[in-house]
Amino acid sequence: MLIYALKRLRSLVLSLLVASVVIFAVIEVVPGDPAAFMLGINAQEDTIAALREELGLNLSVYQRYFNWVGGLLSGDFGISYTYRSPVAEIVTERLWVSLPLAAYALSLTVLLAFPAGILAASRRGSVTDLSVMGFTQLGVAIPNFWFAMLMVLAFAINLRWFSAGGFPGWDEGFWISMKSLTLPAIALALPQASILARVMRSSLLDTLGEDYVRTCRAKGLSKAQALWRHALRNALIPVLTIIGLQFSFLLAGAIIIENVFFLPGLGRLVFQSISQRDLIVVESVVMLLVFAVILVNFAVDIAYALVDPRLRRGR
Amino acid sequence: MSLLDIQKLSLSIHGTPILDNVSLSLRPGEILGVIGESGSGKSMTAFATMQLLPDGANASGKILLQGQDLLTTSEPELCAIRGKDIGMVFQEPMTALNPLQSIGKQVAETLRIHDRSLSRGEAMRRAANTLERCGLPGDQFPLSRYPFELSGGQRQRVVIAMAIALQPKLLIADEPTTALDVTTQAQILVLLKRLVSEDGMALMMITHDLAVVSGMADRICIMRAGKVIEEGAAGTLITESKHPYTRALFEASSHQPDRIQGAHNVPLLQVRNVVRDYALPRKGLFAKPGRHRAVNDVSFELHHGESLGLVGESGCGKSTLTRAILGLEEVQGGEILLDGEPVFAANQPNHKVRRKMQVVFQDPYGSFNPRHKVARLIAEPFHLLETQPRGAEREALIDEALESVGLTPVDKHKYIHEFSGGQRQRIAIARALIIKPKLIILDEAVSALDVSIRAQILDLLADLSARFGLTYLFISHDLSVVRAITDRVLVMQDGEIVEQGETGAVFDAPAHAFTRTLIAAAPRLPDIPAHIGDTHGA
């Protein structure tokens, strides 16, 4: 198990290294002069030169890369050009919205998808199965921003249970903040839960058809016992893969939902930074998201090993 | 008083009739061999008895276990009967165990599911005892072992332990040794016999292999197309049955094709001191990967027109050697020459040589792309040729290949799923023949076939070899087949050839201890008196 974890850790570090080089190359080297780009076409020559100096663009490429990575490692992400404050502060502030939102949405996803998928698989072909399949089809098909607007209409404007948008900040109290994240989390979770329920169902159906499930039945286990004790854990591997992908997506891909609900999250930050050409922020947030994705994949790899003894023993 | 009494059992699945008026009975402590070819309904009879039928199954008749009709028993009651009164062992030990659970837990589950008051520790202790009874002593096979750490035979012992943990009155074994090597098969059969006599269990032994049951069954029941054809005491049924199907079955299992010895003393394939290593996964983060020597210093020659057998257990290096001969993989030492030229040269397979040999694999379905028609499937080897035949020439070659294996040119427009297992293997042979190779490698080519089909394919191979002067390398774990079709035989163990010689001589007087073990382990049919053997003709 330790060797397996170390091996995964090794590939985590390598992935991060490669990602940092690629991101640096794309943003700093390829499109010409970042300073001119950030200031737009009407900028004065001397303003650009001043910004170049400020950004350290006159240094060599290698020096800039190592300065950047060194900064990242010590928590110094640089100063945002538009906000005029340290990127680390801005990002941390946003992360405190995006991270809880992603976790909230993912919990809802799992809470909805597991029972739905298991129920559908255990009653294959029944009305339950057909309705789960029907609803999940809808869930995948409906655009989540549209569904989000419907929820705002119903629960915020008509029923007045929730506010229509915005985020009060964690200082206002845990439950108030969670409440303001509830509608966005549901909107995010709906399509993800639909996908995950379908994966859970088909994966479980596959394992229910395996020989060892028949062996369990021959031992005297009921269908339900065979499902809960044997088939479910075997069905989890593909499900874990999807959960990992979904968490990464929820963290980075909530841009539209954050805009619908006016949430100061990472997605909106990237969106705004790109339109304001604040490359330093974009670069840092992208690197942070890449780090999150790789970290989640590492967690999924470890979860695989916890489920499957064959991986633990390094086979 | 019967323990199990199946009366007029008929079964259909989604409207397709599977069983037709099957009646069987088993007394306590008795061993009943149920024999039949694929599709005979023998496994479905077992699953009906377990009441583990697939969805859409509709059964009528009676299945009485100690007087209780299992067809009318409720599911919760059946759960209490399965595992406790009836245990079952399955064909495929590699997939019959939950890969994520330790063997101890899986055996203990049988005990705990039927006795809720049993503590975890006590269940594990009894599981250890049961595993020990099944030949897996705790000091070598701790309860914490996972299935992937065990061989096929060891896994089958675990499956048996799960089935007999509660000492059921009836044990059903569905082809329990079909997926195993002969020596492992012999050990599992001995184990089953011992358990049956120790616990006084009745055993329903389902198999396609007459020889397997002939040595252990008290009574034998022959099934065909969902019906019981004949039933009787084992000794008399084997030697005295006059039923044409039973006789044909016995004939086919010891079938000897008429072969013309056509070997010339000119070597076609020369294998010289071949070594094949595999890299093993690294043990530590920075440790060097280990190496496994799958083929170790193997040398032999195969002459033009000869049929050479290669026998050995799974993992002995047979398949690795085959891949090396086909030029699919590079060897780490020695050389392989076909017609005097290397099969692997300049880091890639030598196409000039490669077109002189073809291969036929075990699984007649898995080795075909299901979305291509037969014409395209059997024309695949054309890509080995320098100029590929086109148009009418190509069609003519396809027709010729199909006809030479006993099919018709019309068959080229069909898909592979439209053919039976035997026909698929004929198509595989047609694919091998189409570029008129000198050498055909038959890798377990008849192992998955029913005995009667196997006999036909063996006849076809003998006929083709006589007509086209083909040379065969016949790889098999089935000694009776190797004996029937080869001139010489190589015996392989742990990557080395331990014995080689004339097939008859090696089988009659094996020199190496391993060869003796193999031959002793192979199940044999008792000799059938000549006057009865003559009555066949079906």
Side-chain angles (χ1 to χ4, degrees):
Chain A
M1 181 72 195
L2 191 65
I3 288 175
Y4 174 80
L6 286 174
K7 276 185 181 170
R8 302 324 306 165
L9 203 62
R10 184 179 58 184
S11 73
L12 178 143
V13 171
L14 284 176
S15 312
L16 278 179
L17 213 61
V18 172
S20 70
V21 171
V22 171
I23 291 168
F24 180 79
V26 167
I27 290 188
E28 298 237 351
V29 181
V30 180
D33 186 354
F37 178 77
M38 284 166 75
L39 289 171
I41 40 173
N42 298 323
Q44 305 279 322
E45 269 309 310
D46 52 340
T47 334
I48 295 176
L51 184 63
R52 286 182 64 85
E53 191 58 41
E54 187 189 329
L55 293 177
L57 290 177
N58 296 327
L59 299 169
S60 79
V61 172
Y62 300 104
Q63 262 180 316
R64 274 155 56 201
Y65 174 75
F66 285 112
N67 283 349
W68 178 59
V69 172
L72 287 182
L73 289 178
S74 59
D76 174 15
F77 289 42
I79 306 285
S80 159
Y81 177 69
T82 42
Y83 294 88
R84 288 283 158 198
S85 57
V87 176
E89 268 175 35
I90 307 172
V91 169
T92 315
E93 199 180 297
R94 302 303 185 103
L95 210 55
W96 273 108
V97 179
S98 281
L99 210 56
L101 178 62
Y104 193 177
L106 193 73
S107 316
L108 286 179
T109 301
V110 170
L111 284 176
L112 287 171
F114 272 46
I118 293 169
L119 205 64
S122 62
R123 301 189 187 165
R124 186 185 196 170
S126 69
V127 178
T128 320
D129 184 19
L130 290 177
S131 21
V132 167
M133 292 306 280
F135 276 117
T136 52
Q137 184 88 62
L138 267 180
V140 176
I142 293 177
N144 61 2
F145 63 87
W146 181 76
F147 182 69
M149 289 191 275
L150 283 190
M151 284 199 299
V152 169
L153 273 178
F155 298 112
I157 296 177
N158 287 338
L159 293 170
R160 296 186 175 275
W161 291 353
F162 296 94
S163 65
F167 183 72
W170 293 100
D171 300 338
E172 297 293 312
F174 177 76
W175 293 111
I176 294 173
S177 303
M178 285 303 274
K179 200 176 160 192
S180 69
L181 290 180
T182 299
L183 288 186
I186 294 174
L188 283 171
L190 182 80
Q192 304 304 327
S194 302
I195 295 169
L196 193 64
R198 288 177 154 248
V199 173
M200 183 82 225
R201 174 185 178 270
S202 68
S203 171
L204 195 53
L205 281 179
D206 281 349
T207 48
L208 282 174
E210 294 280 352
D211 284 354
Y212 54 78
V213 174
R214 188 183 61 189
T215 312
C216 295
R217 299 274 286 133
K219 284 200 284 193
L221 273 73
S222 68
K223 268 188 183 167
Q225 284 170 327
L227 188 153
W228 286 103
R229 295 185 184 197
H230 295 272
L232 191 58
R233 197 164 154 204
N234 276 285
L236 277 182
I237 299 261
V239 173
L240 284 174
T241 312
I242 300 294
I243 291 181
L245 293 174
Q246 288 184 325
F247 188 71
S248 317
F249 173 79
L250 287 172
L251 200 57
I255 299 182
I256 296 175
I257 293 297
E258 283 176 5
N259 270 320
V260 170
F261 289 98
F262 297 103
L263 292 178
L266 277 181
R268 269 187 95 200
L269 179 65
V270 178
F271 183 69
Q272 288 163 347
S273 312
I274 291 174
S275 50
Q276 288 159 353
R277 304 173 178 208
D278 196 342
L279 289 182
I280 301 172
V281 174
V282 175
E283 194 178 50
S284 307
V285 176
V286 171
M287 192 60 213
L288 191 75
L289 290 176
V290 167
F291 178 67
V293 169
I294 292 174
L295 202 65
V296 167
N297 283 345
F298 174 72
V300 169
D301 281 340
I302 297 298
Y304 283 159
L306 291 178
V307 170
D308 194 335
R310 285 166 290 193
L311 291 173
R312 284 205 288 278
R313 311 250 167 128
R315 297 241 178 153
Chain B
M1 168 69 184
S2 298
L3 171 71
L4 177 73
D5 198 2
I6 299 178
Q7 297 172 0
K8 297 192 171 162
L9 175 68
S10 291
L11 173 73
S12 65
I13 297 175
H14 292 297
T16 312
I18 304 289
L19 296 177
D20 180 13
N21 261 322
V22 169
S23 295
L24 283 178
S25 69
L26 248 134
R27 285 190 299 274
E30 186 181 44
I31 300 182
L32 172 72
V34 179
I35 293 168
E37 298 194 294
S38 37
S40 63
K42 53 190 194 305
S43 292
M44 276 303 155
T45 309
F47 285 118
T49 308
M50 288 302 276
Q51 282 294 292
L52 286 177
L53 291 166
D55 289 338
N58 189 6
S60 65
K62 280 185 175 152
I63 302 175
L64 301 174
L65 182 76
Q66 296 178 307
Q68 182 183 10
D69 188 358
L70 299 178
L71 285 184
T72 57
T73 303
S74 71
E75 178 60 27
E77 276 182 87
L78 285 170
C79 283
I81 290 172
R82 287 187 207 116
K84 186 164 168 286
D85 297 326
I86 318 177
M88 184 155 178
V89 178
F90 303 91
Q91 170 170 357
E92 201 30 90
M94 302 310 276
T95 55
L97 294 168
N98 182 348
L100 307 185
Q101 213 172 57
S102 68
I103 58 171
K105 254 189 160 170
Q106 295 193 54
V107 176
E109 191 176 35
T110 308
L111 299 160
R112 278 168 58 90
I113 203 91
H114 292 283
D115 182 2
R116 295 293 159 99
S117 64
L118 200 63
S119 73
R120 201 171 288 259
E122 176 63 13
M124 286 304 246
R125 203 185 55 73
R126 282 175 57 185
N129 280 346
T130 313
L131 282 167
E132 181 142 12
R133 279 190 72 201
C134 294
L136 297 175
D139 49 348
Q140 290 169 51
F141 302 95
L143 297 174
S144 57
R145 282 284 174 93
Y146 285 96
F148 72 90
E149 297 169 301
L150 303 178
S151 71
Q154 289 160 353
R155 291 186 205 195
Q156 195 63 304
R157 287 172 189 273
V158 177
V159 177
I160 293 172
M162 292 189 326
I164 62 133
L166 287 166
Q167 301 178 307
K169 300 176 188 84
L170 171 63
L171 182 64
I172 301 175
D174 184 8
E175 305 264 14
T177 60
T178 306
L180 305 172
D181 284 322
V182 274
T183 47
T184 318
Q185 162 168 296
Q187 291 160 8
I188 296 288
L189 292 178
V190 167
L191 170 68
L192 283 173
K193 260 194 280 193
R194 198 192 80 215
L195 293 169
V196 162
S197 72
E198 280 175 6
D199 292 358
M201 278 187 293
L203 173 64
M204 187 198 281
M205 176 91 175
I206 293 161
T207 179
H208 69 283
D209 191 341
L210 288 160
V212 163
V213 284
S214 65
M216 66 189 285
D218 301 311
R219 279 189 310 123
I220 286 180
C221 153
I222 312 260
M223 288 187 73
R224 182 196 195 185
K227 287 191 180 118
V228 174
I229 296 282
E230 197 176 9
E231 200 199 334
T236 48
L237 190 127
I238 290 171
T239 51
E240 287 167 27
S241 168
K242 291 205 162 51
H243 193 288
Y245 180 71
T246 310
R247 282 271 62 89
L249 213 54
F250 278 81
E251 268 301 299
S253 24
S254 47
H255 181 73
Q256 193 83 33
D258 293 327
R259 296 184 53 242
I260 302 158
Q261 296 263 348
H264 309 286
N265 227 351
V266 189
L268 172 65
L269 176 72
Q270 290 163 292
V271 175
R272 289 186 195 145
N273 309 100
V274 163
V275 172
R276 178 78 181 91
D277 287 340
Y278 282 110
L280 294 173
R282 289 166 204 267
K283 287 239 157 56
L285 204 54
F286 301 102
K288 262 193 170 173
R291 299 196 78 74
H292 170 67
R293 184 148 289 191
V295 174
N296 188 12
D297 196 20
V298 164
S299 302
F300 65 89
E301 281 193 351
L302 175 54
H303 298 139
H304 275 278
E306 192 182 29
S307 175
L308 177 68
L310 176 60
V311 297
E313 306 201 297
S314 42
C316 75
K318 295 190 303 254
S319 305
T320 307
L321 182 59
T322 313
R323 281 197 298 275
I325 291 172
L326 285 166
L328 297 174
E329 292 170 356
E330 193 169 10
V331 294
Q332 278 68 49
E335 57 178 359
I336 302 174
L337 305 175
L338 186 72
D339 250 358
E341 288 187 75
V343 295
F344 199 98
N347 291 317
Q348 57 178 17
N350 187 348
H351 274 260
K352 231 165 87 190
V353 175
R354 184 62 183 76
R355 66 180 71 116
K356 292 181 187 168
M357 59 183 161
Q358 285 290 295
V359 62
V360 177
F361 292 107
Q362 170 170 3
D363 185 353
Y365 194 68
S367 56
F368 289 113
N369 184 333
R371 284 176 184 81
H372 291 173
K373 287 186 178 161
V374 165
R376 182 164 172 191
L377 292 174
I378 66 171
E380 273 168 359
F382 281 154
H383 77 91
L384 291 169
L385 301 179
E386 265 162 28
T387 49
Q388 299 200 14
R390 307 222 173 266
E393 188 195 353
R394 180 186 145 102
E395 295 303 308
L397 283 169
I398 291 172
D399 295 353
E400 189 191 329
L402 283 172
E403 279 170 349
S404 63
V405 296
L407 296 168
T408 58
V410 191
D411 291 326
K412 69 182 170 188
H413 303 301
K414 296 182 185 163
Y415 289 98
I416 200 71
H417 69 259
E418 297 174 64
F419 297 92
S420 70
Q423 285 171 323
R424 284 175 194 163
Q425 209 55 313
R426 284 174 190 269
I427 293 168
I429 295 170
R431 172 168 65 180
L433 283 175
I434 200 159
I435 54 168
K436 307 210 162 57
K438 293 188 172 170
L439 169 65
I440 294 189
I441 298 175
L442 299 150
D443 188 358
E444 301 277 4
V446 297
S447 303
L449 304 174
D450 280 325
V451 281
S452 56
I453 308 293
R454 188 174 73 192
Q456 291 167 15
I457 297 287
L458 290 178
D459 282 339
L460 173 70
L461 290 173
D463 172 54
L464 291 172
S465 139
R467 272 200 282 158
F468 301 120
L470 291 172
T471 306
Y472 292 139
L473 178 58
F474 202 100
I475 298 150
S476 183
H477 70 278
D478 188 335
L479 300 180
S480 64
V481 170
V482 170
R483 182 156 203 179
I485 191 107
T486 62
D487 306 313
R488 275 195 310 131
V489 65
L490 310 170
V491 182
M492 200 164 175
Q493 184 192 21
D494 296 337
E496 291 177 37
I497 304 239
V498 294
E499 183 163 3
Q500 55 179 312
E502 299 282 323
T503 305
V506 169
F507 276 67
D508 291 336
H512 193 272
F514 177 69
T515 318
R516 281 198 292 273
T517 320
L518 266 188
I519 291 170
R524 246 184 315 264
L525 274 174
D527 289 329
I528 301 161
H531 66 279
I532 293 169
D534 289 342
T535 58
H536 83 94

